[in-house]
Amino acid sequence: MKVGVESEVAIANFKYDHAKKISRNTARNDCISTFELEKKKLKTMLGSVNRVNLIADFWKYGQKIGYMCLIYHFVDSSWKLQKRIINFCDVPPPHSGVVISDAIFKSLLDWGHENKVCIITLDNANNNDATVKILKDAIKRKLMLGGKIFHVRCCAHIINLLLQDGLSEIETVIENVRESVKYLIASEACLIKFGEIAKQLQLPSKKLILDCPTRWNATYAMLLLPWSLERCFLSTKIEMRVFDEVKNVISGSEYPTANIFLLEVWKIKEVLNEKSLDENDYISAMACKIKLKFDKYCGECNFVMSIAAVLDPWFKMTLINFSFPKIYQGFEVVRNIDHVHDSLYQLYNEYVVDYTSSNAGQNASKSTEGSSSVGGNNSKFKTRGRMEFDQFVRNVDNIQLAKSDLDVYLEECVFLYSDDSDLDFDVLEWWKANNLKFCILSKMASDILSILITTVASGSAFSIGGRVIDVYRASLSTKTVQALLCGGDWVRPLYKNEKQSKLEG
């Protein structure tokens, strides 16, 4: 029998009235116990991960407390890119390099991962250079390429700095537009009149947007208004579009792998080179100013992006050879291409050493076990015959050494897109499928491709933090905030997997 609406409401009210009410302390204790339980599970999961990449970012909300968010990015045993918040803790001022590095290292010690971090991504704040220097000394394991790529500067933060610096050349004009928007949106009568004028001029209807002065993309959105498209604005809008495209790539994916960035970023430098010679004084001045900072800040980012791009079978060194002549000039082109190529082999050789030493320990263990056993009909043949054959191989001059994983990989042709379905290509799935073919290079690929070029991933944590620490919960203790933010992040993938399993079933 179909239950009426009144019956459903009655049932709901009954359940609400008879629901077990819990106290604030009980709710808090449940959150803390869930946090501790999930932390143990995550520690067990991370036990099989050899290297992780770390993101560190700061956030301040209504409590006026400075919170630091630490996020791991790594590739799990199923070749899936994973993101986990490992800490969301308060860091008292001053936020100097010593204080920040101490807070980060304490978190790593708490997890027992002080020697698992191979890359750290930070924004471009001055104190972060000191932070990185201290952490390098504190981490005992050998860093990749001698620590040259240990510090990755947030690409999104750098692009924002570049554009803010360039837009300062037309600051007066932008301020006039900003004040005009403020005037129009302050009065309903003005908005109505503005709409009527737009219709008379047959201009497309667009919502008036007041920008946030510290966010270049908000200023860009404001300048898209049809009534502001004078020649200067039109040119500015067109050339800022390439930055907007890069922003969409950076923030458009929840967990972007590092191989996708170089394909977009080189276009920025090409536009800057072209527009620095523009006839329009505003445009050339903006381009020259942005170009100067681009060359100053993007060198390290370009290098990490380049290494990651080579490990994409669609790009390899072909993308480097294509894009570097557009990014650099003169002798810098060959020098930087050689730098990427040589560093790639240097990094690969580091992984060969690790792989060889690891296998040597395993083989020694197996050899010890074998020598104590009685069985094995071919034991004498394996000892004498194999030794003589190995000596023969060493003495034959025309025997060529086997090519390395990296040699074989680079010599194979790059893939070519055939249709739109190729746009969904998952680079980690490709390395998973070719794991046995490239046993050493695949380990290197999993570490490099999981490097985060931006701190955008922390933005979602801060967004959730804003909902947790709202005006009604501003008195939450920092420990409770940590439990809510971290615990929620850890259990969310479980529910996501359960939901996916139900859909597939």
Side-chain angles (χ1 to χ4, degrees), residues 164-197:
Q164 290 295 340
D165 207 37
L167 289 172
S168 65
E169 290 293 323
I170 56 170
E171 184 177 3
T172 303
V173 184
I174 292 176
E175 187 60 31
N176 289 337
V177 175
R178 187 178 292 129
E179 291 302 317
S180 298
V181 173
K182 286 181 182 179
Y183 173 78
L184 288 170
I185 65 177
S187 168
E188 185 177 350
C190 289
L191 284 175
I192 294 172
K193 186 64 176 177
F194 174 78
E196 292 174 353
I197 294 173

Side-chain angles (χ1 to χ4, degrees), residues 161-170 282 285-287 289-290:
L161 290 176
L162 299 181
L163 267 296
Q164 290 295 340
D165 207 37
L167 289 172
S168 65
E169 290 293 323
I170 56 170
Y282 281 118
M286 286 176 61
K289 204 165 187 178
I290 296 173

Side-chain angles (χ1 to χ4, degrees), residues 36-132:
E36 297 293 347
L37 178 62
E38 293 301 324
K39 185 174 183 178
K40 290 179 181 179
K41 291 180 181 178
L42 185 57
K43 277 189 174 182
T44 301
M45 173 189 173
L46 290 170
S48 60
V49 179
N50 292 324
R51 300 187 183 190
V52 294
N53 297 312
L54 181 67
I55 295 176
D57 208 357
F58 276 88
W59 178 74
K60 184 179 286 187
Y61 197 61
Q63 290 182 314
K64 305 301 181 185
I65 297 175
Y67 283 96
M68 180 177 67
C69 181
L70 295 179
I71 301 176
Y72 275 171
H73 270 248
F74 59 94
V75 175
D76 64 16
S77 57
S78 299
W79 285 86
K80 298 295 181 183
L81 187 58
Q82 299 288 346
K83 182 205 81 170
R84 294 292 187 277
I85 299 175
I86 64 160
N87 209 347
F88 197 94
C89 58
D90 65 306
V91 179
H95 293 159
S96 63
V98 174
V99 172
I100 296 173
S101 61
D102 183 60
I104 293 175
F105 199 70
K106 281 182 178 177
S107 293
L108 297 178
L109 287 173
D110 177 50
W111 285 84
H113 298 161
E114 62 273 19
N115 293 321
K116 281 193 174 186
V117 174
C118 57
I119 301 290
I120 182 169
T121 303
L122 300 160
D123 64 24
N124 209 45
N126 293 330
N127 52 0
N128 284 335
D129 289 335
T131 298
V132 170

Side-chain angles (χ1 to χ4, degrees), residues 239-254:
E239 305 316 327
M240 286 177 68
R241 187 177 300 155
V242 67
F243 290 91
D244 196 51
E245 291 173 354
V246 174
K247 175 190 74 70
N248 291 335
V249 169
I250 290 172
S251 58
S253 175
E254 188 176 3

